[in-house]
Amino acid sequence: MEVVILCGGQGTRLREETEYRPKPMVDVGGRPILWHIMKTYSHFGYRDFILCLGYKQELIREYFMNYRWMNSDVTVDLASQEMTVRHRTHAEDWRVTLVDTGKDTKKGGRLKKIQPYISGGLFMMTYGDGVADIDIHRLTEHHRRAEALVTFTGVHPISRFATVETDRNGAIVDWEEKKVLEGYINGGFFTLDKRVFDYIAGDCEFEEEPMRRLAQERRVTMFRHEGFWHCMDTYRDYLLLNEMWANGRAPWKRWDDD
């Protein structure tokens, strides 16, 4: 089953970093957040990736084309230009398809462009900026039981502002930063039936008209994820995720160290 990752957006709310590189290439703990997302899927045995490229796509291409040399200890002979991988080598059992889906293409249009690369009846899809401690096996099992065309992962949003509780007189009785809110939002991590391509007409946002039609036909189901999820949407998110990684408390890291 292929895993499609949307990597083409401009990440305008994270301009401090995305002015120079695409958001999926912004580092968390010294590696692109895209790598963290792919490690999550590969932990569950999914190793066939399709990356929908757009904005500053050359940086993502260069990263994977030079992956072995950039993630290993190497010796370079400047006279012969030969490079030798030394003791510490880092390699992944991944098959990565890099597809130019256009700089300004919307998410539905990007999906439509990778349709020829989908080989089976089901495939996975997610965004290139969110990490979670999600159980991918449970997600796919839920999708098969529901017999839907689309399963998305519902997550609880985290308030960006302090939330307060008051008594009847207006006095503050509780104050909480980064409170996990009730209700669910779309956290990405989709399982899709390839028939969803029939619902995508031209360049559109997948979450708008296609999802609206699918929902009206009762072809959409939600997988409830009660664990950790965080999207790197702003510079504040970037700092938070890097702090969590540096302190050894990154819940999304379910894989063993290499």
Side-chain angles (χ1 to χ4, degrees):
M1 193 186 301
E2 292 89 359
V3 178
V4 177
I5 306 179
L6 300 175
C7 302
Q10 297 190 29
T12 54
R13 289 189 291 272
L14 188 58
R15 185 56 68 185
E16 297 91 340
E17 295 292 328
T18 58
E19 183 176 356
Y20 308 103
R21 50 186 169 174
K23 191 197 286 191
M25 292 302 294
V26 175
D27 284 356
V28 174
R31 294 188 185 275
I33 191 170
L34 174 60
W35 178 86
H36 291 259
I37 296 167
M38 295 170 76
K39 287 290 283 188
T40 296
Y41 278 101
S42 66
H43 173 72
F44 290 95
Y46 296 89
R47 298 183 176 90
D48 196 345
F49 297 94
I50 301 171
L51 308 187
C52 300
L53 307 181
Y55 175 70
K56 294 188 181 295
Q57 62 176 284
E58 65 279 2
L59 298 179
I60 299 178
R61 291 180 180 274
E62 289 173 2
Y63 180 75
F64 286 103
M65 295 297 291
N66 298 291
Y67 187 88
R68 188 184 184 199
W69 306 114
M70 294 179 66
N71 293 280
S72 304
D73 290 341
V74 299
T75 297
V76 182
D77 188 318
L78 298 181
S80 65
Q81 293 299 303
E82 293 182 357
M83 291 188 292
T84 305
V85 176
R86 308 304 292 181
H87 298 290
R88 190 185 71 85
T89 182
H90 181 87
E92 302 287 353
D93 184 20
W94 296 347
R95 181 173 180 265
V96 184
T97 301
L98 305 166
V99 183
D100 180 3
T101 56
K103 181 179 178 181
D104 300 314
T105 309
K106 298 175 182 177
K107 291 189 285 293
R110 294 190 192 281
L111 269 180
K112 192 72 172 180
K113 289 186 177 184
I114 59 87
Q115 181 176 358
Y117 299 99
I118 301 300
S119 60
L122 298 179
F123 65 100
M124 314 293 286
M125 189 270 282
T126 194
Y127 308 120
D129 60 359
V131 289
D133 60 350
I134 183 173
D135 188 325
I136 301 296
H137 290 331
R138 289 186 58 211
L139 167 62
T140 55
E141 289 169 3
H142 173 93
H143 179 82
R144 290 190 170 98
R145 287 196 306 269
E147 299 182 349
L149 295 188
V150 174
T151 297
F152 73 94
T153 298
V155 299
H156 293 292
I158 299 174
S159 175
R160 294 186 182 277
F161 307 98
T163 56
V164 298
E165 294 184 15
T166 63
D167 62 18
R168 295 179 62 182
N169 298 318
I172 303 298
V173 297
D174 189 30
W175 177 292
E176 188 172 352
E177 286 283 349
K178 299 182 179 66
K179 182 178 180 179
V180 177
L181 304 177
E182 296 182 3
Y184 294 91
I185 61 172
N186 170 26
F189 296 97
F190 291 79
T191 301
L192 302 172
D193 187 292
K194 69 177 181 181
R195 287 174 287 176
V196 299
F197 291 117
D198 297 334
Y199 290 79
I200 302 174
D203 187 22
C204 63
E205 290 293 355
F206 178 68
E207 299 87 349
E208 295 179 359
E209 181 58 26
M211 283 292 286
R212 187 177 299 114
R213 286 181 55 203
L214 286 158
Q216 290 171 349
E217 296 180 14
R218 299 184 181 277
R219 298 296 188 95
V220 179
T221 183
M222 182 177 75
F223 172 71
R224 290 174 172 81
H225 175 59
E226 305 294 342
F228 175 85
W229 171 87
H230 204 94
C231 175
M232 189 170 61
D233 196 40
T234 66
Y235 192 67
R236 182 180 180 182
D237 298 320
Y238 161 78
L239 294 176
L240 175 63
L241 291 173
N242 273 281
E243 178 186 1
M244 295 176 76
W245 185 270
N247 292 335
R249 51 181 183 87
W252 69 90
K253 183 183 180 298
R254 304 187 64 173
W255 59 88
D256 295 328
D257 289 323
D258 299 306

